[in-house]
Amino acid sequence: MGYTLPEDSLFLGFDSSTQSLKVTVLDAKLTIVATETVHFDSELPHYGTKDGVYRDPSGNGRIVSPTLMWVEALDLILDKLTKSKLDFGKIVAVSGSGQQHGSVYWKNGSSAILASLDSKKPLVDSPIWMDSSTTEQCREIEKAVGGALELSQLTGSRAYERFTGPQIKKIFQTQPEVYKDTERISLVSSFMASLFIGSYASIDETDGSGMNLMDIKQRIWANNVLEATAPGLEEKLGKLAPAHAVAGSIAPYFIHRFHFKESCLVIQWSGDNPNSLAGLTLNTPGDLAISMGTSDTVFGITNDPQPSLEGHVLPNPVDPKCYMVMLCYKNGSLTREDVRNKCAENSLVVSNEYLERTHPLNGGKLGFYYKDYEILPPLPVGTHRYVLDNFTGNPSDNMKAHEVLEFDAPSEVRLLWTIPLNESSCGEIGMPTPPKRIIATGGASTNQSILRSIANVFGCAVYTVQRTDSASLGAALRAAHGWLCDKEGGFIPIAQMYGDKLEKTSLSTKLAMPAGDGDLLAKYTLLMKKRIEIENSLVEKLGRIKS
């Protein structure tokens, strides 16, 4: 059975990411009709952020973003859409994504302010996903529920420093008066949704699973974890909601200021990675997505999740019957840009020349680059370089590694622009190895040299999508899906919305790079095994998480 969306209707999808706010507009045929972006550093310079955040100069890993910056960016991006002559009266549903794990603390009385926003005036520090200052709180929460594995099996992940639960626990322990004066705690996603409906929006089940606080099987708050985090927490968090549910109708502020229709629905906002999964239309086990943005993430779907000490399991935002599995590496595009600026004359052209000039195996060189505290593996800021003696890529190689202080510039670039993943990563999160195919997204997915590296190291074909920002695209798609679910009175599979017409929409994928050479894949797998050995020794020596 197929479903049709109302003719001449529009669907708005936002992505409030670390460095920018983006929006994608889809029509009833799921074709992109408009896009806009607000870059925080350059367009809102008065907040003084770098890469969209404030880093604690003491080096303790605390990283935050100014909440009001996100609010002002929303007004600015809607003004841009107005200037582009977008007809807001045709928008029937809005949804969005927020950077996962970021949190917003509403003071007592904030609900009244939300309900009375003045349309004649513009809308004008939250801990975010990059924050890594809560190691002690992570260990305390794990201990309280019986250990890291027990917490993972319950909530989908062991306790991670960037997750909201440990962040809340630290606020309660170090700033008890702030916690006491907090009326509501939102994620970035539910905070933005709250602005759109003029009241507190629920946290959706998918983004909520990235907090270390939710029972992923029952889709409810886990009482024993709440108790181990802070008193009275459930009341401050509010109820959970399915990702496809209606958060509410659009607030009068947006009706009067931008001329939205009163009937416009706001569909639950979710996290950026779940929205990317929706935007990439991942619906077959064996499909793997790699998102290359501020962080590098790899994710797919499974019917049989196996939570472990590595990676994350989250409810699938567009299919309640299955789950999303994910690995996240904090040091992504920002780290690559630092090395490009230093070693490749701040030039993408030069860095691509280096990639084409160097061999994929890079002569047995291995590099570990951490501009920020890393998640996988759990290591502090620093750089570590190794060379494997006489490496040829044969199983008989006696792969002994010795550490060096630096590499030549081409080798440095090759190491940074090759995603530190291979098929072993797929196995860690329960995905088939090798993957059936890879869909690449994020800013770096437009780089053919990087896509060639991915095809080589994974041994499968790489596809791309029209919109590199798959999170805002997925949010617009989820707005349409949520509207349809509401119209039909219950959940319907999202695939029934586009049926067999997927290739005629802006959601279609195209082959960007064929599968790499099988012999090269075997040699790269040997290299990765040695990388993992060195990684484990670094964690033993320097790691910040001790089980």
Side-chain angles (χ1 to χ4, degrees):
M1 179 180 179
Y3 295 86
T4 57
L5 298 168
E7 190 175 347
D8 210 26
S9 61
L10 298 176
F11 302 90
L12 216 57
F14 294 89
D15 175 34
S16 183
S17 64
T18 309
Q19 301 181 66
S20 62
L21 177 66
K22 308 179 189 72
V23 65
T24 297
V25 186
L26 290 177
D27 64 14
K29 295 180 180 179
L30 303 181
T31 300
I32 295 173
V33 295
T35 64
E36 291 289 351
T37 302
V38 171
H39 294 281
F40 298 145
D41 289 3
S42 60
E43 296 185 68
L44 299 169
H46 46 284
Y47 288 99
T49 58
K50 187 177 188 310
D51 305 322
V53 303
Y54 300 140
R55 287 180 169 83
D56 191 325
S58 68
N60 71 353
R62 182 161 174 76
I63 301 178
V64 299
S65 285
T67 306
L68 289 180
M69 179 179 70
W70 303 332
V71 178
E72 189 172 347
L74 178 58
D75 250 336
L76 182 55
I77 206 165
L78 289 172
D79 282 337
K80 286 187 175 186
L81 287 174
T82 299
K83 292 175 182 176
S84 70
K85 307 299 183 184
L86 182 75
D87 186 350
F88 286 91
K90 293 182 179 180
I91 298 169
V92 300
V94 175
S95 190
S97 68
Q99 51 175 295
Q100 290 192 261
H101 317 302
S103 49
V104 177
Y105 295 75
W106 301 85
K107 292 181 65 174
N108 285 323
S110 296
S111 57
I113 298 173
L114 259 179
S116 57
L117 294 174
D118 186 351
S119 63
K120 295 182 177 65
K121 299 177 181 178
L123 284 170
V124 245
D125 297 331
S126 303
I128 63 163
W129 71 275
M130 297 170 76
D131 187 85
S132 56
S133 64
T134 57
T135 305
E136 180 181 342
Q137 288 75 24
C138 288
R139 303 293 75 76
E140 291 173 356
I141 291 173
E142 288 178 346
K143 183 178 180 181
V145 300
L149 184 57
E150 285 76 7
L151 183 66
S152 178
Q153 291 173 340
L154 176 64
T155 70
S157 304
R158 67 174 302 164
Y160 282 97
E161 294 155 311
R162 69 194 189 282
F163 275 36
T164 322
Q167 291 177 353
I168 292 171
K169 187 174 181 68
K170 183 171 183 178
I171 292 285
F172 168 68
Q173 290 178 335
T174 61
Q175 303 176 67
E177 291 305 312
V178 170
Y179 182 79
K180 182 180 178 181
D181 196 35
T182 296
E183 182 174 85
R184 185 74 166 228
I185 299 173
S186 295
L187 298 180
V188 176
S189 56
S190 59
F191 167 74
M192 298 294 282
S194 297
L195 295 178
F196 271 100
I197 65 174
S199 61
Y200 293 139
S202 295
I203 293 172
D204 91 287
E205 294 168 351
T206 301
D207 209 7
S209 64
M211 300 173 73
N212 279 138
L213 296 174
M214 192 189 91
D215 182 326
I216 59 169
K217 293 181 179 177
Q218 297 189 59
R219 315 273 174 110
I220 59 175
W221 298 121
N223 286 331
N224 58 338
V225 189
L226 294 182
E227 292 171 1
T229 302
L233 182 53
E234 185 169 7
E235 183 178 354
K236 295 180 188 292
L237 293 174
K239 294 181 179 179
L240 289 157
H244 64 272
V246 174
S249 295
I250 196 127
Y253 174 89
F254 297 94
I255 296 170
H256 299 310
R257 186 175 178 87
F258 297 101
H259 308 297
F260 281 84
K261 289 193 300 185
E262 290 186 11
S263 59
C264 179
L265 297 180
V266 179
I267 306 304
Q268 287 290 153
W269 285 44
S270 191
D272 47 6
N273 291 306
N275 275 278
S276 286
L277 181 143
L280 298 174
T281 64
L282 261 65
N283 53 30
T284 305
D287 281 355
L288 193 69
I290 292 180
S291 175
M292 294 171 285
T294 304
S295 64
D296 287 336
T297 56
V298 53
F299 52 87
I301 58 174
T302 180
N303 295 319
D304 182 29
Q306 302 292 330
S308 66
L309 295 179
E310 301 292 341
H312 317 291
V313 176
L314 305 87
N316 186 323
V318 291
D319 186 352
K321 295 181 180 179
C322 67
Y323 293 82
M324 172 181 181
V325 287
M326 182 174 74
L327 291 169
C328 182
Y329 300 81
K330 186 189 292 188
N331 288 275
S333 63
L334 299 181
T335 306
R336 284 190 288 268
E337 287 168 11
D338 276 359
V339 171
R340 183 190 69 199
N341 295 345
K342 178 183 176 182
C343 300
E345 304 171 24
N346 194 20
S347 167
L348 186 60
V349 173
V350 173
S351 65
N352 283 342
E353 288 176 356
Y354 286 167
L355 275 174
E356 297 302 322
R357 183 194 307 177
T358 52
H359 190 274
L361 298 175
N362 214 4
K365 299 182 180 74
L366 294 169
F368 303 81
Y369 303 83
Y370 307 124
K371 173 185 172 70
D372 290 304
Y373 285 100
E374 185 50 87
I375 301 161
L376 287 175
L379 286 169
V381 173
T383 301
H384 314 276
R385 301 175 180 87
Y386 296 84
V387 176
L388 301 183
D389 298 325
N390 303 316
F391 176 75
T392 65
N394 295 315
S396 59
D397 284 347
N398 184 16
M399 293 192 294
K400 291 184 178 180
H402 69 273
E403 192 166 3
V404 297
L405 292 178
E406 61 182 2
F407 292 133
D408 60 281
S411 295
E412 205 90 87
V413 170
R414 158 66 63 179
L415 289 167
L416 252 296
W417 287 80
T418 301
I419 307 301
L421 306 167
N422 74 341
E423 62 180 71
S424 64
S425 306
C426 305
E428 288 178 13
I429 57 174
M431 296 292 293
T433 57
K436 177 183 175 183
R437 64 171 180 164
I438 286 175
I439 304 176
T441 183
S445 66
T446 60
N447 189 310
Q448 293 296 301
S449 298
I450 294 178
L451 297 182
R452 186 174 297 107
S453 291
I454 293 174
N456 283 334
V457 302
F458 277 88
C460 67
V462 179
Y463 291 75
T464 55
V465 290
Q466 285 188 38
R467 177 86 161 121
T468 57
D469 174 38
S470 54
S472 68
L473 175 62
L477 178 65
R478 286 186 49 255
H481 181 231
W483 182 90
L484 200 54
C485 289
D486 181 69
K487 177 178 177 291
E488 296 298 320
F491 177 82
I492 62 168
I494 194 169
Q496 292 188 15
M497 189 169 68
Y498 39 74
D500 59 354
K501 301 176 182 177
L502 186 62
E503 294 307 311
K504 297 180 181 179
T505 72
S506 292
L507 305 167
S508 61
T509 61
K510 66 175 182 179
L511 178 65
M513 196 64 59
D517 176 75
D519 182 57
L520 181 59
L521 172 63
K523 293 180 178 180
Y524 190 84
T525 301
L526 285 174
L527 190 64
M528 283 301 297
K529 287 180 179 178
K530 190 62 180 180
R531 179 188 172 89
I532 292 170
E533 286 180 23
I534 297 173
E535 209 171 69
N536 290 339
S537 67
L538 287 171
V539 171
E540 186 65 29
K541 180 181 177 182
L542 306 170
R544 296 172 298 112
I545 295 179
K546 302 293 184 183
S547 300

